[in-house]
Amino acid sequence: MASLFGKLIVLLALILQNRGDVFGNAVEQKIYVKLNNTSPCVRLLNSTHQIGCQSSISGDTGVIHVVEVLSDLDWVLMAGPNPPYMVLLQGELFSSDFWFTLSVSVRVLFLSLSLSLSLSLSLLCSGVYSDSYGPQYSHCNRTLWNPLGDGLSYEDFHFPVFMMRDENETSVIKKVSSVLFDSLAVGGWLRHASFHGLENIDSIVEIGQVGLRNGSKLWIHSDPISRKNSSVNEEVILSVCLSVCKTPAAQQSGFSQPLPPASFQRFLKARPIPGVVLTDHQLAFNNRFYESSYDTADNLRVSYPSGLSLEQQLDFITDTARVTERHSLTHSFRETSLYVSSSSSSSSSSSLLLLLLLLLLLLLCCHGFLIQSNNSWFRSLLSQELQSILVDSPLSITLLSPPVRVHPPGPVLANLTGTCDQPHPGPVPEPDKNTGPTKRYLYEYLWVQGEVSENTSRPGSYCVRAAVRLSKAISPAFELKDYRSTEYSTWTESRWKDIRARIFLVASKELEMVTLAVGIAILVVSLLVTYFVSSKADILFTSARETTTAAY
Amino acid sequence: MTVAVFFGCSFIAFGPAFALFIFTIARDPLRVIILIAGAFFWLLSLLLSSLVWFIAMKASNDKDQQLQRGLLIFGVMFSVLLQEVFRFAYYKLLRKASEGLAALSEDERSPISVQQMAYVAGLGFGIMSGAFSMINILADSLGPGIVGIHGESQYYFLTSAFMTMAVTLLHTFWGVVFFDGCENRRWWVIAVVVALHLLVSGLTFLNPIYEGSLPPAYVILVSMAVWSFFSCGGSLQNIQQFLTCRKNDAGSEVAS
């Protein structure tokens, strides 16, 4: 009997538990609207500064106020009777002009609404140019690369900022513009990336932003400071420029112009290496959305004719990928395999090959990364178990945690620049013995699954030898445990377990007080009535009643 | 800030039950036992009826809203019937216990009358029923928000509390009347209690039109209070005496 009761109680607990799961707490769903499609601004710290946003330890709550014109902000700052406010902002108004006044006076949370005309938050004046190296180019004295950027991503805010990605959610917020806003977060840590110099680099050709070319022009930038050294200058002109500059579309930027922001600058910090950077812009960026989450296919004007299937889109050469009318790609990129022998080749064929490389990179950049990474070409490059990283949406280049062993750019570049060593799968060959002990591990070997052709079920896989590497993005400062380093990046990100935002209505003070008053009144009245009735119970209930004191 | 709402709703929902417990039950251990056992019997009935509803729900199509609502109505009605069955079962158990207690006592009389047991059993049912109705809502009332963002009434917590109070007291009065009906073999009384219980539960399906569920529930509450008062041996003269007695006491205090 007892065990039966025990089982019944356990069953009751299970059922009650299940009921909760089934409904997902129905009352809570009546009260809160969760905002699911948001991107929060996080806290980034290095050894000396912090940037980004944060919230209070248990979250922030504020009254929603929709700001559509700048004058609405005055109400928030001065006239609003119930601070703090959660300000819902249009993207156009999102600039640094009013930011500091807002951040000083009240505690606010921002949400960005719609796309703005230009939204680039970074302001790039760092790099190799400093007071000791080319002071005339430091602090953007000579060229402002990103004039539309207002550097907001490098500012420090003491309140949380969210970006709304869903129009439906923003319209809900606008509808209920007298509600409160609540957000919760927990903290953590993450490491950031930086580059590490290599010793045996002959020269560098860096392909920067090449997607938005005006009139199909490509600009070639070089560093004027290092080119003052005659041997470096010679190397740049002879070996690097010879192959690249012959390309019909390429044009050199002025000698006195500094390098644009590029990874090449980091190499120059180590030693003066000859090299160039190829971009689509001569002076300021053509991309209005540099380092912005609005840097998408639509904003870059990448479009395919309607009616093309995904596979047809892969083959289609968009206007962005077309260099000149005469030099468009003549055969399918999937059949081409590029060969680049070394970085110091001066033959004219390497210029065409470099051009092809550029075109292919543009093609894959435009589709696999901007439209959909889960396409047949990417799938053919990765083995079965690694294909889970491909998605039916643009592939974003973000920090991955935990880091993956293979990331699509790697096999793509390997396939484009490497040599096919074997036509069929076999053991990975020995490192190249002919290149000597110092260059023993110059190449990496990658197995490419290949396409699944219609004739056979086995994919035509092969091995690719390429000088392509995937390295972990860890700053040397962390490997050296030099957390105060000024030489290497010490950026960290505060890793939040859960950043949530939700909207709800709050009771008016009157309702709360009335509820409490009524409750207290009922309690007091009940106590009084019960006391009096129970004390006179023998008068009120006269039928045969037993005594109330049963002390047996 | 909504701690105010939490306490306000708790006092509304459980104030009368708490007062009744403090002044009429707490000092007598036997009544406490009967109360808790009564609560447990109600819990058992809820368990079994939930099981039936849960199985029916899982076996049916999740997406069909009409069907799910129909199943819910069926579940509630079945639960009401099962609660009354368990009330009858508890009556039987208490009768047996009463005989046992009478045998144990010195003067062959049970230390507690059937009417007192009826009242305590009813209150036990009511407290447990109220707890299950209200605890979940009270927990959410502690948070910063109130119901209303989807257009529902902002008085949700308040109306839930009042309904809970009504149901708690109704269970108490139904217990008294039910046991009286069983004692005197008046089966129509039982039928009326069951019907009224079904009616009050059914009216809650009219929510959020609270005018449809709360006022009728309170009307039924008042009429049940009157009925159970009279079935306990109360009468209008008693009320008169009760009120005049108080005046007499006041007079005697002044005189002496």
Side-chain angles (χ1 to χ4, degrees):
Chain A
M1 190 68 171
S3 66
L4 177 65
F5 274 148
K7 283 175 192 158
L8 281 173
I9 288 171
V10 169
L11 200 51
L12 173 71
L14 284 173
I15 284 175
L16 293 177
Q17 174 68 28
N18 274 331
R19 275 189 69 191
D21 291 342
V22 163
F23 286 120
N25 195 354
V27 179
E28 204 179 319
Q29 282 170 3
K30 285 192 213 278
I31 301 178
Y32 302 105
V33 171
K34 289 191 174 39
L35 299 176
N36 294 321
N37 231 338
T38 57
S39 302
C41 157
V42 293
R43 177 62 83 198
L44 290 147
L45 308 102
N46 70 1
S47 56
T48 49
H49 291 80
Q50 65 178 20
I51 62 173
C53 320
Q54 69 179 57
S55 77
S56 314
I57 192 75
S58 52
D60 288 302
T61 309
V63 178
I64 292 184
H65 191 74
V66 179
V67 167
E68 279 165 337
V69 291
L70 273 175
S71 54
D72 290 339
L73 284 172
D74 292 331
W75 188 89
V76 171
L77 285 173
M78 287 176 287
N82 301 310
Y85 287 97
M86 190 230 73
V87 176
L88 193 57
L89 214 55
Q90 299 275 2
E92 290 99 10
L93 295 176
F94 190 73
S95 78
S96 55
D97 293 339
F98 61 85
W99 192 270
F100 296 108
T101 39
L102 264 171
S103 64
V104 165
S105 68
V106 296
R107 209 172 69 209
V108 291
L109 301 147
F110 281 79
L111 296 181
S112 156
L113 274 182
S114 57
L115 182 62
S116 68
L117 296 170
S118 79
L119 187 64
S120 175
L121 297 177
S122 63
L123 189 63
L124 300 166
C125 292
S126 59
V128 70
Y129 299 113
S130 61
D131 294 330
S132 53
Y133 187 97
Q136 67 272 38
Y137 303 120
S138 66
H139 307 298
C140 290
N141 278 339
R142 184 59 193 270
T143 319
L144 194 64
W145 295 108
N146 191 17
L148 297 172
D150 46 19
L152 269 178
S153 65
Y154 284 88
E155 296 297 336
D156 175 18
F157 305 108
H158 62 84
F159 45 76
V161 178
F162 285 77
M163 187 166 104
M164 305 289 295
R165 296 192 166 277
D166 188 351
E167 276 302 316
N168 293 334
E169 286 183 348
T170 51
S171 59
V172 163
I173 294 178
K174 276 180 153 174
K175 235 184 354 173
V176 288
S177 57
S178 61
V179 302
L180 279 188
F181 193 88
D182 192 11
S183 77
L184 306 160
V186 180
W189 296 101
L190 181 78
R191 292 195 285 191
H192 204 268
S194 90
F195 281 100
H196 194 73
L198 297 175
E199 288 306 313
N200 299 314
I201 298 180
D202 192 60
S203 54
I204 290 181
V205 173
E206 180 172 342
I207 301 175
Q209 301 180 62
V210 292
L212 296 171
R213 298 185 312 285
N214 287 331
S216 304
K217 263 207 179 58
L218 260 181
W219 292 93
I220 305 172
H221 303 267
S222 54
D223 172 39
I225 307 294
S226 60
R227 279 178 76 177
K228 283 185 183 153
N229 180 327
S230 58
S231 65
V232 171
N233 192 34
E234 219 175 83
E235 189 69 31
V236 171
I237 294 173
L238 286 177
S239 58
V240 179
C241 206
L242 206 59
S243 59
V244 177
C245 302
K246 276 198 172 166
T247 324
Q251 185 151 341
Q252 289 199 52
S253 69
F255 181 84
S256 56
Q257 196 176 295
L259 270 182
S263 307
F264 181 33
Q265 292 200 18
R266 191 64 188 84
F267 290 89
L268 278 178
K269 260 188 168 176
R271 67 178 185 90
I273 305 173
V276 295
V277 176
L278 305 175
T279 63
D280 55 12
H281 58 90
Q282 185 190 9
L283 293 168
F285 291 166
N286 287 344
N287 190 356
R288 289 180 289 129
F289 305 105
Y290 180 74
E291 278 191 351
S292 159
S293 58
Y294 292 122
D295 195 1
T296 58
D298 295 332
N299 294 331
L300 295 178
R301 302 188 301 273
V302 171
S303 61
Y304 294 88
S306 58
L308 285 187
S309 72
L310 191 67
E311 295 303 312
Q312 286 169 331
Q313 281 183 6
L314 278 177
D315 280 335
F316 186 79
I317 304 163
T318 61
D319 291 334
T320 317
R322 201 180 295 271
V323 177
T324 67
E325 287 305 316
R326 287 194 296 140
H327 285 85
S328 53
L329 208 59
T330 53
H331 44 271
S332 161
F333 67 88
R334 281 179 286 186
E335 294 162 9
T336 307
S337 61
L338 264 192
Y339 177 80
V340 174
S341 59
S342 72
S343 57
S344 59
S345 164
S346 58
S347 65
S348 60
S349 65
S350 66
S351 69
L352 184 61
L353 290 167
L354 205 60
L355 174 65
L356 284 172
L357 166 65
L358 201 59
L359 288 169
L360 289 166
L361 282 174
L362 292 171
L363 269 171
L364 68 90
C365 279
C366 292
H367 199 281
F369 291 100
L370 284 179
I371 310 289
Q372 181 166 319
S373 63
N374 189 14
N375 56 57
S376 60
W377 193 47
F378 277 19
R379 278 198 302 274
S380 70
L381 295 176
L382 297 173
S383 61
Q384 281 294 115
E385 57 266 14
L386 295 169
Q387 280 183 21
S388 56
I389 57 177
L390 298 178
V391 292
D392 286 338
S393 58
L395 188 75
S396 62
I397 311 296
T398 56
L399 288 169
L400 301 165
S401 176
V404 293
R405 199 166 56 78
V406 173
H407 198 35
V412 163
L413 282 171
N415 207 35
L416 289 175
T417 61
T419 39
C420 296
D421 248 2
Q422 288 171 302
H424 56 81
V428 173
E430 302 258 323
D432 203 338
K433 291 193 178 62
N434 298 333
T435 52
T438 53
K439 294 186 182 176
R440 196 179 177 88
Y441 298 107
L442 184 63
Y443 295 106
E444 287 268 332
Y445 291 86
L446 233 70
W447 180 75
V448 178
Q449 179 168 276
E451 284 177 52
V452 182
S453 58
E454 281 119 24
N455 294 334
T456 62
S457 57
R458 257 187 77 237
S461 44
Y462 51 92
C463 213
V464 165
R465 182 189 79 161
V468 168
R469 269 177 192 70
L470 185 74
S471 43
K472 241 190 201 181
I474 295 183
S475 168
F478 297 115
E479 287 178 346
L480 299 169
K481 299 228 191 304
D482 178 14
Y483 301 112
R484 292 175 183 280
S485 168
T486 50
E487 176 67 18
Y488 301 113
S489 161
T490 51
W491 282 110
T492 56
E493 177 183 315
S494 188
R495 170 55 61 87
W496 304 86
K497 229 200 261 181
D498 190 12
I499 302 184
R500 289 185 282 132
R502 57 184 182 175
I503 322 175
F504 48 90
L505 281 180
V506 77
S508 63
K509 270 296 189 195
E510 295 82 28
L511 181 62
E512 284 181 18
M513 291 306 131
V514 162
T515 308
L516 185 61
V518 167
I520 292 175
I522 288 181
L523 181 67
V524 167
V525 165
S526 316
L527 286 168
L528 287 172
V529 167
T530 311
Y531 173 72
F532 282 118
V533 168
S534 72
S535 62
K536 305 277 189 233
D538 44 352
I539 299 174
L540 277 170
F541 307 101
T542 51
S543 66
R545 268 185 96 257
E546 312 303 320
T547 167
T548 56
T549 58
Y552 292 99
Chain B
M1 274 188 281
T2 51
V3 170
V5 172
F6 171 79
F7 278 112
C9 289
S10 307
F11 292 158
I12 292 171
F14 300 115
F18 176 72
L20 287 172
F21 178 80
I22 290 284
F23 288 118
T24 63
I25 310 233
R27 268 186 258 162
D28 187 356
L30 188 58
R31 292 187 185 186
V32 172
I33 292 168
I34 296 175
L35 181 90
I36 293 176
F40 182 69
F41 264 71
W42 185 89
L43 210 53
L44 273 182
S45 77
L46 179 72
L47 165 67
L48 289 174
S49 50
S50 302
L51 199 59
V52 168
W53 167 80
F54 188 71
I55 292 170
M57 197 193 61
K58 284 296 178 193
S60 66
N61 181 10
D62 257 1
K63 306 282 183 280
D64 188 353
Q65 293 288 349
Q66 286 283 84
L67 178 65
Q68 293 301 319
R69 189 161 170 83
L71 277 177
L72 189 64
I73 295 175
F74 157 73
V76 167
M77 298 299 138
F78 182 71
S79 177
V80 167
L81 294 172
L82 210 56
Q83 284 174 44
E84 298 304 328
V85 165
F86 270 73
R87 203 195 299 271
F88 184 73
Y90 196 41
Y91 163 75
K92 284 288 184 200
L93 182 70
L94 285 175
R95 284 300 272 137
K96 279 261 160 56
S98 180
E99 286 165 23
L101 285 168
L104 281 174
S105 74
E106 286 171 0
D107 53 1
E108 298 288 331
R109 278 190 324 183
S110 170
I112 186 167
S113 75
V114 175
Q115 282 144 339
Q116 287 165 346
M117 284 196 296
Y119 155 71
V120 174
L123 187 60
F125 267 51
I127 288 177
M128 198 45 113
S129 167
F132 265 78
S133 304
M134 202 59 195
I135 292 291
N136 195 25
I137 297 172
L138 282 177
D140 280 313
S141 77
L142 263 178
I146 58 162
V147 172
I149 194 164
H150 294 294
E152 286 146 357
S153 165
Q154 55 173 329
Y155 299 111
Y156 179 79
F157 295 136
L158 215 48
T159 51
S160 303
F162 274 109
M163 195 67 199
T164 304
M165 173 171 80
V167 166
T168 304
L169 291 174
L170 274 170
H171 268 293
T172 313
F173 300 137
W174 282 330
V176 171
V177 166
F178 190 97
F179 277 35
D180 185 58
C182 290
E183 278 287 286
N184 301 320
R185 301 273 186 270
R186 286 190 225 135
W187 307 116
W188 62 269
V189 168
I190 295 174
V192 168
V193 166
V194 173
L196 284 176
H197 194 170
L198 281 169
L199 179 64
V200 171
S201 292
L203 283 173
T204 59
F205 281 101
L206 289 174
N207 287 340
I209 307 175
Y210 297 115
E211 300 84 353
S213 62
L214 272 179
Y218 274 85
V219 165
I220 295 173
L221 175 67
V222 170
S223 40
M224 284 306 307
V226 169
W227 185 1
S228 55
F229 174 71
F230 284 116
S231 82
C232 276
S235 63
L236 288 170
Q237 296 115 312
N238 292 350
I239 296 176
Q240 253 183 340
Q241 272 185 339
F242 171 74
L243 293 169
T244 52
C245 250
R246 289 193 57 201
K247 281 190 189 159
N248 283 341
D249 284 340
S252 59
E253 272 176 23
V254 169
S256 59

